[in-house]
Amino acid sequence: MNVREWALITFTILAQMSVGSFIVLGIVHYFTAKKSGEKQADELSDRALLAIGPVLALGMAASLLHLGNPINAYKAVTNLGTSWLSREIFFGVLFAVAGAVFAVMQWKKIATFTVRNVVALVAAIIGVALVYSMSMVYMMPTRPGWNVITTPLSFYVTTLLLGVLAMGAAFVANYWYVQRKNPGCASDQCVLLRDSLRWFGMASIVLLGFQFVLLPLWVALMAGSSSASATMLVGEFGIVFALRLALVFLGAGVLGIFLYRAASSPGQEKVMGAVAYVAFAFVLVGEVLGRFLFYATATHFGLQ
Amino acid sequence: MAKQLGFYFDASACMGCKTCQVACKDKNDLPVGVNFRRVWQYGNGSWVPSGKLWTPNNVFVYSVSVACNHCEKPSCAEVCPTGALAKRADGLVLVNADQCVGCRYCEWACPYGAPQFNEAKGVMTKCNGCEDLLAQGQNPACVDACPMRALEFGDIAELRAKHGNVNAIEPLPVATLTFPALVIKPHRHAQASGKGMGRIIDLVEEA
């Protein structure tokens, strides 16, 4: 492992987190607006929306660190015909642009609610395409530990899991910010916050279920395609792998239940907020370790 | 069919002296760790006691000299995001250093270890068939350096007509990944790619 691989870990995790956050935020905003009106929905989610851009920008900046010759980075979208790496960068830039257009429209309330929803939907679809091309970059016969179906599937689970818990933490931060600025005004917001976090708690438990099917499936497929990778994962990196499992289980599972419980009982906002922060932190570290293992256990087929 | 240049390698003649590797290193002024041509030793076997003697049990070893195979379906060029890696009209797969972004994606994609990263330059480098020597009507440096005359370079169709169609023996990967422009005369112990009973030995090397 070296700077180059940490750059890729940072880029893939942050880009996936921003896509997941964007999708989760869109769903929450859509249903909140239906239930409680646009104004309340905007109050709940507008500041969280603005947090997504910097996360993506940071990820893309980190991706430059894995290049030997970053001066040519702008040329890396010129082989869209055959290179998944070109497509990844293309969709990454497109997602950033579409997301930024939507964020400006939403922030300044440009155009109608419906038009903004359409723009958000387009950006979300680009985001889905981005995560797909990110996973296809690793699907090559010369990298047998990666060239398995769990690579795209687990990229999507990571996207949604980080999206749900990042937005949980962002909603809590937004709520405290509103409370501090204008105490007592936010009782409707408080109900919406609890509703959202209850939903986030449940979603993270369900996603953990997917994660815990995909992880052993990955080990099984990898044992077939690259036994050296599987041996490294459970041998040399066994402790990291155990830590990765424990963190995502604690964050998304155990704390997911606490989040659901705390969000279900009014007056528990402080506990709920703390749980949301810690759950996000655990799952983020767990997913970073998971991505570390993805790169660290890779083997090469053929001569190298 | 378009013109396609490629190498012929005679594994039955190669004695693993690595003169080709060193000639390439010298000609291309390659830094430590970068070798456009490499000689791999592939072998297996053990010694078993029988009475007071130890007798060889399936002991074999042979050498395979590998550079870029200027594949007919080059996976390095396919994945290259900038198009810096591309096939020329004569079939050579070349890196345009001015286009290369140094992402090393080609390194992951190539099953022959041909594209190699030059830390000092920050870009990928690889065998270019000694295109400057070719332009003067000469052979690549590795070909002329070989004391066993185990290497040839030229139009792959002619090389195939002359030497046959074998293009994969262990430790090379199966040829269907990238269709290498390579002809091999197998060593008598040569193992079929993907079905080898041996392993790469003599890995320790820092040159």
Side-chain angles (χ1 to χ4, degrees), chain B residues 72-139:
Chain B
E72 289 168 43
K73 201 173 148 270
S75 55
C76 57
E78 187 184 315
V79 303
C80 175
T82 64
L85 263 163
K87 223 168 155 55
R88 204 165 70 173
D90 59 7
L92 289 181
V93 178
L94 304 174
V95 192
N96 178 353
D98 295 339
Q99 290 281 330
C100 180
V101 72
C103 69
R104 303 176 73 163
Y105 194 22
C106 49
E107 196 179 35
W108 286 350
C110 175
Y112 298 102
Q116 293 170 31
F117 187 65
N118 186 313
E119 293 282 352
K121 294 178 182 164
V123 295
M124 299 307 291
T125 53
K126 66 183 285 300
C127 161
N128 62 1
C130 291
E131 52 171 333
D132 53 335
L133 295 181
L134 293 182
Q136 298 165 26
Q138 297 181 48
N139 280 322

Side-chain angles (χ1 to χ4, degrees), chain A residues 231-288:
Chain A
T231 307
M232 262 191 274
L233 184 65
V234 296
E236 191 183 342
F237 294 108
I239 290 172
V240 182
F241 189 42
L243 193 61
R244 183 254 190 284
L245 294 174
L247 280 171
V248 75
F249 175 74
L250 283 176
V254 177
L255 292 178
I257 293 170
F258 278 122
L259 192 59
Y260 183 85
R261 296 278 319 243
S264 304
S265 33
Q268 296 262 22
E269 284 78 18
K270 277 230 161 75
V271 177
M272 180 181 76
V275 170
Y277 284 148
V278 177
F280 173 56
F282 276 20
V283 170
L284 180 61
V285 176
E287 290 299 319
V288 166

Side-chain angles (χ1 to χ4, degrees), chain A residues 4 8 66-69 72-73 75-79 82-83 85-86 137-138 140-143 146 300-304, chain B residues 38 40 77-82 98-105 107-113 122-123 171-173 177:
Chain A
R4 174 175 129 82
L8 293 177
H66 96 280
L67 302 177
N69 192 19
N72 275 346
K75 293 177 179 164
V77 289
T78 51
N79 198 10
T82 60
S83 173
L85 185 54
S86 268
V137 163
Y138 299 95
M140 347 186 230
T142 42
R143 311 293 284 190
W146 295 342
H300 192 82
F301 174 76
L303 302 172
Q304 197 180 22
Chain B
R38 287 189 172 118
W40 301 88
E78 187 184 315
V79 303
C80 175
T82 64
D98 295 339
Q99 290 281 330
C100 180
V101 72
C103 69
R104 303 176 73 163
Y105 194 22
E107 196 179 35
W108 286 350
C110 175
Y112 298 102
V123 295
L172 299 177
L177 286 175

Side-chain angles (χ1 to χ4, degrees), chain A residues 154-169:
Chain A
S154 67
F155 274 25
Y156 278 116
V157 172
T158 298
T159 298
L160 291 176
L161 197 54
L162 286 175
V164 163
L165 291 170
M167 285 300 99

Side-chain angles (χ1 to χ4, degrees), chain A residues 115-126:
Chain A
V115 171
R116 291 203 300 268
N117 271 349
V118 171
V119 175
L121 186 65
V122 170
I125 291 168
I126 296 168

